[in-house]
Amino acid sequence: QLQLQESGPGLVKPSETLSLTCTVSGYSLPNSIYYWGWIRQSPGRGLEWIATVYYSGSTFYNPSLKSRVTISIDTSKNQFSLKLSSVTAADTAVYYCARIGSPLVPNSHFDYWGQGTLVTVSS
Amino acid sequence: DIVMTQSPDSLAVSLGERATINCKSSQTVLYSAKNKNYLAWYQQKPGQPPKLLISWASTRESGVPDRFSGSGSGTDFTLTISSLQAEDVAVYYCQQYYTTPPTFGGGTRVEI
């Protein structure tokens, strides 16, 4: 059974970098036919796609966040990660990792989600 | 970006009655060459992540009760719960994946 689990600090100071990791179990990332992504949810912005990565290292970013976001993958650890720099209070949200549900396609529905992790930006 | 607009924001439905949620996209999400609508529906309960109910506008995911159905094409879509059950109380979202970035509607809260 495929499962995803987010991990990382729940509190980040303004102007610092938010770093999260998603650990995938029940599915092997090396040579995966699926893409993997990050989505966040906040009362003010709703559900917002952040970025997507493939096992090969190919990446796709939301233009609205691209200048501040890095997504990466470590297939040896079966993990992928998110870094968001220069955070402000507007980046306070629940961050989810998820699988893109159509094989070999970077943009599709999201069929498996982690439970989410709340990240608060505050000094 | 494609803007997804859901209506109503919330609705109250009696147990066993029909619930209808609408989703409108600012441009078509129908890929004519494949005759597929690039639209999904999700259910989110408090403290849980969104759960995929329907993809390609009308294809139910495995395990999703058949009282949930999706319809529509182009820019106008509907999620119907034919006979509302207590466990269906949740917020429902539509999402387009026709273009990047994928975008979500603002959600519709369904209550008893």
Side-chain angles (χ1 to χ4, degrees):
Chain A
Q1 172 75 356
L2 172 61
Q3 292 185 319
L4 300 94
Q5 180 66 58
E6 305 88 352
S7 60
L11 181 64
V12 181
K13 290 182 168 56
S15 79
E16 295 191 345
T17 296
L18 177 161
S19 295
L20 296 173
T21 295
C22 181
T23 300
V24 179
S25 58
Y27 188 88
S28 178
L29 289 188
N31 300 310
S32 168
I33 61 172
Y34 292 96
Y35 287 73
W36 306 85
W38 289 95
I39 301 115
R40 67 181 182 180
Q41 184 174 30
S42 63
R45 305 171 78 95
L47 285 159
E48 181 179 32
W49 170 73
I50 304 170
T52 291
V53 67
Y54 195 44
Y55 82 93
S56 63
S58 296
T59 57
F60 304 83
Y61 295 105
N62 191 322
S64 68
L65 296 167
K66 185 174 183 176
S67 63
R68 298 193 292 129
V69 174
T70 302
I71 189 171
S72 60
I73 192 164
D74 186 340
T75 55
S76 67
K77 295 182 179 179
N78 235 45
Q79 296 175 335
F80 60 101
S81 299
L82 175 74
K83 292 187 186 297
L84 179 64
S85 64
S86 305
V87 297
T88 69
D91 295 309
T92 294
V94 176
Y95 286 76
Y96 295 101
C97 57
R99 189 179 82 167
I100 285 72
S102 296
L104 304 175
V105 171
N107 186 23
S108 190
H109 51 276
F110 302 95
D111 63 349
Y112 285 90
W113 296 64
Q115 282 299 305
T117 186
L118 174 62
V119 179
T120 301
V121 179
S122 174
S123 56
Chain B
D1 299 2
I2 295 179
V3 177
M4 307 300 291
T5 303
Q6 290 184 231
S7 62
D9 292 338
S10 65
L11 74 161
V13 178
S14 300
L15 288 173
E17 295 300 305
R18 178 184 300 262
T20 301
I21 301 167
N22 301 301
C23 175
K24 188 175 184 65
S25 56
S26 61
Q27 64 188 76
T28 187
V29 299
L30 171 63
Y31 183 27
S32 302
K34 294 188 175 182
N35 195 31
K36 282 191 166 186
N37 286 282
Y38 284 50
L39 184 110
W41 287 99
Y42 299 85
Q43 175 193 65
Q44 187 176 32
K45 297 180 180 180
Q48 297 184 18
K51 172 188 175 184
L52 179 65
L53 296 177
I54 288 171
S55 58
W56 310 109
S58 60
T59 301
R60 256 191 318 274
E61 292 298 297
S62 174
V64 173
D66 61 6
R67 63 180 180 273
F68 291 92
S69 63
S71 63
S73 185
T75 61
D76 292 281
F77 299 89
T78 300
L79 175 69
T80 301
I81 310 172
S82 61
S83 176
L84 192 77
Q85 304 299 304
E87 61 265 32
D88 300 335
V89 169
V91 180
Y92 293 84
Y93 297 93
C94 59
Q95 177 225 337
Q96 69 79 22
Y97 45 99
Y98 183 78
T99 63
T100 299
T103 49
F104 294 83
T108 295
R109 184 177 303 276
V110 174
E111 301 170 322
I112 303 290

